[in-house]
Coordinates of all heavy atoms in Angstrom, one line a residue:
Chain T
K79 N -15.5 -4.2 -4.3 CA -15.3 -2.8 -4.6 C -14.4 -2.6 -5.8 O -14.6 -1.7 -6.6 CB -14.7 -2.1 -3.3 CG -14.9 -0.6 -3.2 CD -14.4 -0.1 -1.9 CE -13.6 1.2 -2.2 NZ -12.5 1.4 -1.1
Q80 N -13.3 -3.4 -5.8 CA -12.4 -3.3 -6.9 C -13.1 -3.6 -8.3 O -12.9 -2.9 -9.3 CB -11.2 -4.2 -6.7 CG -10.2 -3.8 -5.7 CD -9.6 -2.4 -5.9 OE1 -9.4 -2.1 -7.0 NE2 -9.5 -1.7 -4.9
M81 N -13.9 -4.7 -8.2 CA -14.5 -5.1 -9.5 C -15.5 -4.0 -9.9 O -15.6 -3.7 -11.1 CB -15.3 -6.4 -9.2 CG -14.4 -7.5 -8.9 SD -15.0 -8.9 -9.8 CE -13.7 -10.1 -9.5
V82 N -16.2 -3.4 -9.0 CA -17.1 -2.3 -9.4 C -16.3 -1.1 -9.9 O -16.6 -0.6 -11.0 CB -17.9 -1.9 -8.1 CG1 -18.7 -0.6 -8.5 CG2 -18.9 -3.0 -7.8
S83 N -15.2 -0.8 -9.2 CA -14.5 0.4 -9.7 C -13.8 0.1 -11.0 O -13.7 1.0 -11.9 CB -13.5 0.8 -8.6 OG -12.2 0.7 -9.0
I84 N -13.3 -1.1 -11.3 CA -12.7 -1.4 -12.6 C -13.8 -1.6 -13.6 O -13.8 -1.0 -14.7 CB -11.9 -2.6 -12.5 CG1 -10.7 -2.5 -11.5 CG2 -11.3 -3.0 -13.9 CD1 -9.9 -3.7 -11.3
G85 N -14.8 -2.4 -13.3 CA -15.8 -2.8 -14.3 C -16.9 -1.8 -14.5 O -16.9 -1.1 -15.6
V86 N -17.7 -1.6 -13.5 CA -18.9 -0.8 -13.7 C -18.6 0.6 -14.1 O -19.1 1.3 -15.0 CB -19.8 -0.9 -12.5 CG1 -21.1 0.0 -12.7 CG2 -20.2 -2.3 -12.1
E87 N -17.6 1.2 -13.3 CA -17.3 2.6 -13.5 C -16.5 2.9 -14.8 O -16.4 4.0 -15.2 CB -16.5 3.1 -12.2 CG -17.4 3.2 -11.0 CD -16.7 3.5 -9.7 OE1 -15.5 3.9 -9.8 OE2 -17.3 3.2 -8.7
S88 N -16.0 1.8 -15.4 CA -15.4 2.1 -16.7 C -16.3 2.0 -17.9 O -15.9 2.3 -19.0 CB -14.2 1.0 -16.9 OG -13.3 1.2 -15.9
V89 N -17.5 1.6 -17.6 CA -18.5 1.4 -18.8 C -18.6 2.6 -19.6 O -18.5 2.5 -20.9 CB -19.8 0.8 -18.2 CG1 -20.9 0.9 -19.3 CG2 -19.7 -0.6 -17.8
V91 N -16.7 5.2 -20.3 CA -15.5 5.5 -21.1 C -15.2 4.4 -22.2 O -14.9 4.7 -23.3 CB -14.3 5.9 -20.3 CG1 -13.8 4.7 -19.4 CG2 -13.1 6.4 -21.1
V92 N -15.4 3.2 -21.8 CA -15.2 2.1 -22.7 C -16.3 2.2 -23.8 O -16.0 1.9 -25.0 CB -15.3 0.7 -22.0 CG1 -15.4 -0.5 -23.0 CG2 -14.1 0.5 -21.1
T137 N -9.4 -0.9 -25.0 CA -9.9 -1.1 -23.7 C -8.8 -1.1 -22.7 O -8.9 -0.4 -21.6 CB -10.8 -2.4 -23.6 OG1 -11.7 -2.3 -24.7 CG2 -11.4 -2.5 -22.3
G138 N -7.8 -1.9 -23.0 CA -6.6 -1.9 -22.1 C -6.0 -0.6 -21.8 O -5.8 -0.2 -20.6
I139 N -5.8 0.2 -22.8 CA -5.2 1.5 -22.6 C -6.1 2.5 -21.8 O -5.6 3.2 -21.0 CB -4.7 2.1 -24.0 CG1 -3.5 1.3 -24.4 CG2 -4.4 3.6 -23.9 CD1 -2.9 1.6 -25.8
V140 N -7.4 2.4 -22.1 CA -8.3 3.2 -21.4 C -8.3 2.8 -19.9 O -8.3 3.7 -19.0 CB -9.7 3.1 -22.0 CG1 -10.8 3.7 -21.1 CG2 -9.7 3.9 -23.4
I141 N -8.4 1.5 -19.7 CA -8.4 1.1 -18.3 C -7.0 1.4 -17.6 O -7.0 1.7 -16.4 CB -8.6 -0.4 -18.2 CG1 -9.9 -0.8 -18.9 CG2 -8.7 -0.9 -16.7 CD1 -11.1 -0.5 -18.2
A142 N -6.0 1.3 -18.3 CA -4.7 1.7 -17.7 C -4.7 3.2 -17.3 O -4.2 3.5 -16.2 CB -3.5 1.5 -18.7
G143 N -5.3 4.0 -18.1 CA -5.5 5.4 -17.7 C -6.4 5.6 -16.5 O -6.1 6.5 -15.7
R144 N -7.4 4.9 -16.5 CA -8.4 5.1 -15.4 C -8.0 4.3 -14.1 O -7.9 4.9 -13.1 CB -9.8 4.6 -15.9 CG -10.8 5.7 -16.1 CD -12.2 5.1 -15.9 NE -12.7 5.2 -14.6 CZ -12.9 4.2 -13.7 NH1 -12.7 2.9 -14.2 NH2 -13.3 4.3 -12.5
V145 N -7.9 3.0 -14.3 CA -7.8 2.2 -13.2 C -6.3 2.0 -12.7 O -6.1 2.1 -11.5 CB -8.4 0.8 -13.5 CG1 -8.2 -0.2 -12.3 CG2 -9.9 1.0 -13.9
G146 N -5.4 1.8 -13.6 CA -4.0 1.6 -13.2 C -3.5 2.9 -12.5 O -2.9 2.8 -11.5
A147 N -3.9 4.0 -13.1 CA -3.5 5.3 -12.4 C -4.1 5.4 -11.0 O -3.4 5.8 -10.1 CB -4.0 6.5 -13.3
A148 N -5.4 5.0 -10.9 CA -6.0 5.1 -9.6 C -5.4 4.2 -8.6 O -5.2 4.5 -7.4 CB -7.5 4.8 -9.7
M149 N -5.0 3.0 -9.1 CA -4.3 2.0 -8.1 C -3.0 2.6 -7.7 O -2.6 2.6 -6.5 CB -4.0 0.7 -8.8 CG -5.3 -0.1 -9.0 SD -4.8 -1.7 -9.9 CE -6.5 -2.4 -10.1
A150 N -2.2 3.2 -8.6 CA -0.9 3.7 -8.3 C -1.1 4.9 -7.3 O -0.4 5.0 -6.3 CB -0.2 4.2 -9.5
A151 N -2.1 5.7 -7.6 CA -2.3 6.9 -6.7 C -2.8 6.5 -5.3 O -2.3 6.9 -4.3 CB -3.3 7.8 -7.3
E152 N -3.7 5.5 -5.3 CA -4.2 5.1 -4.0 C -3.2 4.4 -3.1 O -2.9 4.7 -1.9 CB -5.4 4.2 -4.2 CG -6.2 3.9 -2.9 CD -7.2 2.8 -3.0 OE1 -7.3 2.2 -4.1 OE2 -7.8 2.4 -2.0
I153 N -2.5 3.4 -3.7 CA -1.5 2.7 -3.0 C -0.3 3.6 -2.7 O 0.3 3.5 -1.6 CB -1.1 1.4 -3.7 CG1 -2.3 0.5 -3.8 CG2 0.1 0.7 -3.0 CD1 -2.1 -0.8 -4.6
G154 N 0.1 4.5 -3.6 CA 1.2 5.4 -3.4 C 0.9 6.3 -2.2 O 1.8 6.6 -1.4
P179 N -6.1 -8.8 -4.6 CA -7.4 -8.6 -5.0 C -7.5 -7.7 -6.3 O -8.4 -7.8 -7.1 CB -8.1 -7.9 -3.8 CG -7.1 -7.8 -2.7 CD -5.8 -8.5 -3.2
R180 N -6.6 -6.7 -6.4 CA -6.6 -5.8 -7.5 C -6.2 -6.6 -8.8 O -6.8 -6.4 -9.9 CB -5.6 -4.7 -7.3 CG -6.3 -3.6 -6.4 CD -5.3 -2.5 -6.0 NE -5.9 -1.5 -5.2 CZ -6.4 -1.6 -4.0 NH1 -6.3 -2.8 -3.3 NH2 -7.0 -0.6 -3.3
I181 N -5.2 -7.5 -8.7 CA -4.8 -8.2 -9.9 C -6.0 -9.1 -10.3 O -6.4 -9.2 -11.5 CB -3.5 -9.1 -9.6 CG1 -2.3 -8.1 -9.5 CG2 -3.3 -10.0 -10.8 CD1 -1.0 -8.8 -9.2
I182 N -6.6 -9.8 -9.4 CA -7.7 -10.7 -9.7 C -8.8 -10.0 -10.3 O -9.4 -10.3 -11.4 CB -8.2 -11.5 -8.5 CG1 -7.0 -12.4 -7.9 CG2 -9.4 -12.4 -8.8 CD1 -6.7 -13.6 -8.7
A183 N -9.2 -8.8 -9.7 CA -10.3 -8.1 -10.2 C -10.0 -7.6 -11.6 O -10.9 -7.6 -12.5 CB -10.6 -6.9 -9.3
A184 N -8.8 -7.1 -11.9 CA -8.5 -6.6 -13.2 C -8.4 -7.7 -14.3 O -8.9 -7.6 -15.4 CB -7.1 -5.9 -13.2
V185 N -7.9 -8.9 -13.9 CA -7.8 -10.0 -14.8 C -9.2 -10.5 -15.2 O -9.4 -11.0 -16.3 CB -7.0 -11.2 -14.1 CG1 -7.3 -12.5 -14.8 CG2 -5.5 -10.9 -14.2
M187 N -12.1 -8.4 -14.9 CA -13.0 -7.4 -15.5 C -12.5 -6.8 -16.8 O -13.4 -6.4 -17.6 CB -13.1 -6.2 -14.5 CG -13.9 -6.4 -13.2 SD -15.4 -7.3 -13.4 CE -16.5 -6.1 -14.2
V188 N -11.2 -6.8 -17.1 CA -10.8 -6.3 -18.4 C -11.4 -7.1 -19.6 O -11.9 -6.6 -20.5 CB -9.3 -6.1 -18.5 CG1 -8.8 -5.6 -19.9 CG2 -8.8 -5.1 -17.4
L191 N -15.1 -6.3 -19.9 CA -15.2 -5.0 -20.6 C -14.9 -5.1 -22.1 O -15.6 -4.4 -22.9 CB -14.3 -3.9 -19.9 CG -14.8 -3.4 -18.6 CD1 -13.7 -2.6 -17.9 CD2 -16.0 -2.5 -18.7
F241 N -3.7 -8.0 -20.4 CA -3.6 -6.6 -20.2 C -4.1 -6.2 -18.7 O -3.5 -5.4 -18.1 CB -4.5 -5.8 -21.2 CG -4.1 -6.0 -22.6 CD1 -4.9 -5.7 -23.6 CD2 -2.8 -6.4 -22.9 CE1 -4.5 -5.9 -25.0 CE2 -2.4 -6.6 -24.2 CZ -3.3 -6.3 -25.3
G242 N -5.1 -6.9 -18.3 CA -5.6 -6.7 -16.9 C -4.5 -6.9 -15.9 O -4.3 -6.2 -15.0
A243 N -3.8 -8.1 -16.1 CA -2.7 -8.4 -15.2 C -1.7 -7.3 -15.2 O -1.1 -6.9 -14.2 CB -2.2 -9.8 -15.5
I244 N -1.3 -6.9 -16.4 CA -0.3 -5.9 -16.6 C -0.7 -4.6 -15.9 O 0.1 -4.0 -15.1 CB 0.0 -5.6 -18.1 CG1 0.7 -6.8 -18.7 CG2 0.8 -4.3 -18.3 CD1 0.7 -6.8 -20.2
I245 N -1.9 -4.1 -16.1 CA -2.3 -2.9 -15.6 C -2.3 -2.9 -14.0 O -1.7 -2.0 -13.4 CB -3.8 -2.6 -16.0 CG1 -3.8 -2.3 -17.5 CG2 -4.4 -1.4 -15.3 CD1 -5.2 -2.4 -18.2
A246 N -2.8 -4.0 -13.5 CA -2.9 -4.0 -12.0 C -1.5 -4.2 -11.4 O -1.1 -3.6 -10.4 CB -3.8 -5.2 -11.5
A247 N -0.6 -5.1 -12.0 CA 0.7 -5.3 -11.5 C 1.5 -4.0 -11.5 O 2.2 -3.6 -10.5 CB 1.4 -6.4 -12.3
I248 N 1.5 -3.3 -12.7 CA 2.3 -2.1 -12.8 C 1.7 -1.0 -11.8 O 2.4 -0.3 -11.1 CB 2.4 -1.6 -14.2 CG1 3.2 -2.6 -15.0 CG2 3.0 -0.2 -14.3 CD1 3.4 -2.3 -16.5
G249 N 0.4 -0.9 -11.8 CA -0.2 0.1 -10.9 C 0.1 -0.1 -9.5 O 0.5 0.8 -8.8
C250 N 0.0 -1.3 -9.0 CA 0.3 -1.7 -7.6 C 1.8 -1.5 -7.4 O 2.2 -0.9 -6.4 CB -0.1 -3.1 -7.3 SG -1.8 -3.4 -7.3
Y251 N 2.6 -1.9 -8.3 CA 4.1 -1.8 -8.1 C 4.5 -0.3 -8.0 O 5.2 0.1 -7.1 CB 4.9 -2.5 -9.2 CG 6.3 -2.1 -9.2 CD1 7.2 -2.7 -8.2 CD2 6.9 -1.1 -10.0 CE1 8.5 -2.4 -8.1 CE2 8.2 -0.7 -9.9 CZ 9.0 -1.4 -8.9 OH 10.3 -1.0 -8.8
K252 N 4.0 0.5 -8.9 CA 4.3 1.9 -8.9 C 3.9 2.6 -7.6 O 4.5 3.4 -7.0 CB 3.7 2.6 -10.1 CG 4.4 2.3 -11.4 CD 5.7 2.9 -11.5 CE 6.4 2.4 -12.8 NZ 7.8 2.9 -12.8
G253 N 2.7 2.1 -7.1 CA 2.2 2.7 -5.8 C 3.1 2.3 -4.7 O 3.5 3.1 -3.9
A266 N 4.4 8.4 -9.6 CA 4.0 7.0 -9.6 C 2.8 6.8 -10.5 O 2.7 5.9 -11.4 CB 3.7 6.5 -8.2
T267 N 1.9 7.7 -10.4 CA 0.7 7.7 -11.2 C 0.9 7.8 -12.7 O 0.5 7.0 -13.5 CB -0.3 8.8 -10.7 OG1 -0.4 8.8 -9.3 CG2 -1.7 8.6 -11.4
S270 N 2.9 4.9 -14.1 CA 2.1 3.6 -14.2 C 1.3 3.6 -15.5 O 1.2 2.6 -16.2 CB 1.2 3.5 -13.0 OG -0.1 4.1 -13.2
V271 N 0.8 4.8 -15.9 CA 0.0 4.9 -17.1 C 0.9 4.7 -18.4 O 0.6 3.9 -19.3 CB -0.8 6.2 -17.2 CG1 -1.6 6.3 -18.6 CG2 -1.7 6.4 -16.1
S274 N 2.3 1.0 -18.4 CA 1.4 -0.1 -18.8 C 0.9 0.1 -20.2 O 0.7 -0.9 -20.9 CB 0.3 -0.3 -17.8 OG -0.2 0.9 -17.3
S275 N 0.7 1.4 -20.7 CA 0.3 1.5 -22.1 C 1.3 1.0 -23.0 O 0.9 0.2 -24.0 CB 0.0 3.0 -22.4 OG -0.9 3.5 -21.5
I278 N 1.3 -2.8 -22.9 CA 0.2 -3.4 -23.6 C 0.4 -3.5 -25.1 O 0.2 -4.5 -25.7 CB -1.1 -2.5 -23.3 CG1 -1.6 -2.8 -21.8 CG2 -2.2 -2.8 -24.3 CD1 -2.7 -1.9 -21.4

Side-chain angles (χ1 to χ4, degrees):
Chain T
K79 202 177 135 205
Q80 288 302 323
M81 294 223 176
V82 170
S83 113
I84 298 173
V86 181
E87 289 169 17
S88 298
V89 166
V91 63
V92 168
T137 305
I139 288 178
V140 164
I141 305 283
R144 248 204 90 248
V145 176
M149 287 179 185
E152 189 191 359
I153 297 179
R180 280 170 176 72
I181 292 181
I182 299 285
V185 160
M187 289 317 288
V188 177
L191 284 166
F241 299 160
I244 288 164
I245 293 164
I248 293 181
C250 292
Y251 170 78
K252 289 288 175 184
T267 309
S270 88
V271 178
S274 40
S275 302
I278 284 172

